[in-house]
Amino acid sequence: MITTTDLCVRYGETTALDALDLDLPAGRIYGLLGRNGAGKTTLLSTLAGFRKPGSGRVLLDGEPVFENPRATSRICLIREEGGLGDGIDRLGDILDMARALRKTHDQGYAAALLDRFGLSRRQTLGSLSRGQRSAFGIVVGLASRAPLTMFDEAHLGMDAPGRRIFADELLADYVAHPRTFVLSTHLIEEQSPLFEQVLILHRGRLLLREDVDDLRTRGVAVTGPATLVDDFVTGLTVLGERSLGPTKEVTVYGALAEQDRQAARLHGLQLGPVAVQDLFIHLTGGV
Amino acid sequence: MNRWPILRYLLSSHTVVLVGFLLGVYLLVAVIVAVAAMFTEVTVSGVDIAGQVLPWLAAGYGYSAAALLSTVLTHGRTRREFLAQHPVFLLVTAGLLAVVATGAYAVEAVVYRAAGWTRTFQDQRVFEAGDYPLILLAYVSMLAVWMMTGALLGGAFYRDEGGGLLALLPAAVLLSVSGGANGFLSLPFTRWGLTSAPEVAVVTVVAVAAGWALLWAALRDVPLRTRVAS
Amino acid sequence: MFDDRSPIYRQIADQIKDDVLRGVLADDQQVMSTTQYAAYYRINPATAAKAFQQLVDEGVIYKRRGVGMFVSAGAQRRLRDRRRERFFGEVLEPMIAEAGTLGIPVADIVARIHQLTSPGDGR
């Protein structure tokens, strides 16, 4: 679907994206994770043609994206802030604009979504709360039916029921009209079941890319007496450690071999799973 | 998809609103003149006085072009499509608005004659009462140049604030040079004495084209802003 | 809904197996589609599909092209046999080991088991 080759973006002295190679096949829901400033928004903006690549390439089905209407008309990026209109614009007018400019936009679906989020065509953008604005962004994004639809922090400021509606509508429409989604989020535990694959961006580079379900088995927490734990984890990829008195917990990355598990049992060490969010925190430098 | 989707969209929405707005302006002028007539003798053209405000409104509207560009990109169009179609929309709209303005002059002429009022225009106008073709041309010229210049300033400030300040210079040149020709911004050093229709038309075309070229330069690869505030 | 630690597809597969084992899903009965599972649990459809693939591989369900997924004939019995095999290894042996650590005589355990099972269904 969309690929990047050696993609770099710089803002003055700061490098936002650093020689990024990415290949996202079509028809999946990708989760884009990363700490603040990791480059998520820059990546999404560049993929959508909102920003010119500093160097390197962004191709949609083999065609350059930037300033290419054949590509951009098949991409929709909804960002956490702006790009839909002014405060005085009515939601109905914004949706009419979307219909006029985007071939794939489905106005009937947009109306149904507005209804589900409790919004009306007559409201103005400026009168909406933070969460309602996010909901309206979701309406525009889903109703675009763009083959590549991306949301940057789609659910910012939305309450739990709103986020649940988003999840339901996303999955239902994804099944009915299969397409590619990229969702960036900080709500890892809540949103990750929606993803097929997770991409973790760290300091402008792709740190990890893995099926969500595999990621759930990637980390192991080893707990026990400090000296025994230290011996056990020698040679393993250690992500982080914490101590409580004589007891130590070390998070290691990667599946353990069966003989390792037996050795752990033999020494009375506990082996526990690591949640995706904890793994994310450890992988991106801990706290 | 239809060809020229941005142009079609703008003509069907923005142009309609702008024409309605201008009709509202002239309605307001009529009310003010009517009220004024109750207290004093009417000696000046109300429609022509409104012509002193319109350039600024046109520039203000033009300024919103960059924000419009960002919404157009959100809906999957490109800068190039926008930069090609938006100026066409501006020209068509300037023409329609000028027709409304010229109509207002004609209606006013009839009303003033019936009421027996005298009707003087602003000093620097290039047209005489009754010369409707030149009235139309002067208004097209003023509206097109001021909207385009507003768009240029908006685009330059959208790109970056320093660039916006820098754009004030060409903007001032565009407005004063064309203003001397169409009579809507007459400065001592820009009284060209160009009053024939072809001369006004040429100056207008050059000014609009220059504004368009600068707008293109400012926005052709501009990154969409990531607003940090809010 | 799911604990956030083991793969979701495995948890779904286990739930369906439990349903088959308890007779909630009978032989040749249609199972909800992956889409319905995905929507119900708010998970990615690919994850649900992976669970179904595992169940197909294990012979618990089978696919009828264009119709859907159905419980394999004899799936309940096979699952029960498999769990019975594992029962002694995974449940009973650790229990007896634990009892040994605590010094509980086997006779006491047997007596308690009789006590727990006799009044109920009179077996």
Side-chain angles (χ1 to χ4, degrees), chain A residues 115-128:
Chain A
D115 225 39
R116 277 220 69 184
F117 283 113
L119 298 169
S120 118
R121 280 178 65 92
R122 254 176 281 167
Q123 285 172 287
T124 61
L125 203 55
S127 73
L128 303 185

Side-chain angles (χ1 to χ4, degrees), chain A residues 41 49-52 66-69 72-73 75 77 79 81-85 94 97-98 100-103 140, chain B residues 1 5-6 9 68 70-81 220-227 230:
Chain A
T41 299
F50 286 7
R51 174 175 287 284
K52 190 178 182 178
F66 189 73
E67 286 298 277
N68 176 4
T72 56
S73 61
I75 300 174
L77 166 61
R79 304 187 304 168
E81 195 66 51
L84 289 175
I94 294 171
M97 181 179 187
L101 297 183
R102 193 186 282 284
K103 191 165 43 177
V140 175
Chain B
M1 171 125 285
I6 301 168
Y9 164 74
L68 199 57
S70 74
T71 60
V72 161
L73 289 189
T74 300
H75 298 307
R77 312 315 316 180
T78 62
R79 296 160 190 77
R80 201 163 305 182
E81 287 178 295
R220 68 187 174 82
D221 61 354
V222 69
L224 231 67
R225 265 194 200 169
T226 339
R227 243 166 287 173
S230 171

Side-chain angles (χ1 to χ4, degrees), chain A residues 187-196 198 208 210-221 252-255 261 272-280 283, chain C residues 1-11 41-44 47 50:
Chain A
L187 299 178
I188 296 173
E189 289 308 322
E190 183 184 293
Q191 304 270 309
S192 64
L194 300 174
F195 309 145
E196 182 168 343
V198 161
L208 175 143
E210 191 124 38
D211 282 3
V212 178
D213 250 8
D214 293 339
L215 200 55
R216 286 166 177 268
T217 62
R218 274 294 177 275
V220 181
V252 296
Y253 183 70
R261 292 186 173 275
V274 179
V276 174
Q277 174 154 296
D278 293 328
L279 206 54
F280 168 78
L283 285 169
Chain C
M1 190 102 38
F2 299 102
D3 72 60
D4 51 6
R5 288 149 192 272
S6 70
I8 292 176
Y9 81 90
R10 208 176 291 162
Q11 298 180 51
Y41 290 116
R42 294 193 180 84
I43 57 167
N44 192 291
T47 308
K50 210 166 156 186

Side-chain angles (χ1 to χ4, degrees), chain A residues 34-74:
Chain A
R35 300 200 151 189
N36 294 323
K40 300 189 296 293
T41 299
T42 304
L43 173 61
L44 294 176
S45 298
T46 315
L47 291 182
F50 286 7
R51 174 175 287 284
K52 190 178 182 178
S55 64
R57 300 206 294 174
V58 178
L59 302 179
L60 182 81
D61 291 334
E63 286 197 61
V65 166
F66 189 73
E67 286 298 277
N68 176 4
R70 271 197 309 279
T72 56
S73 61
R74 301 175 58 217

Side-chain angles (χ1 to χ4, degrees), chain B residues 1 9 27 30 38 43 56 63 150 153 161 180 197 217:
Chain B
M1 171 125 285
Y9 164 74
L27 203 64
M38 289 192 274
T43 56
W56 301 100
Y63 194 86
L153 283 175
E161 280 169 27

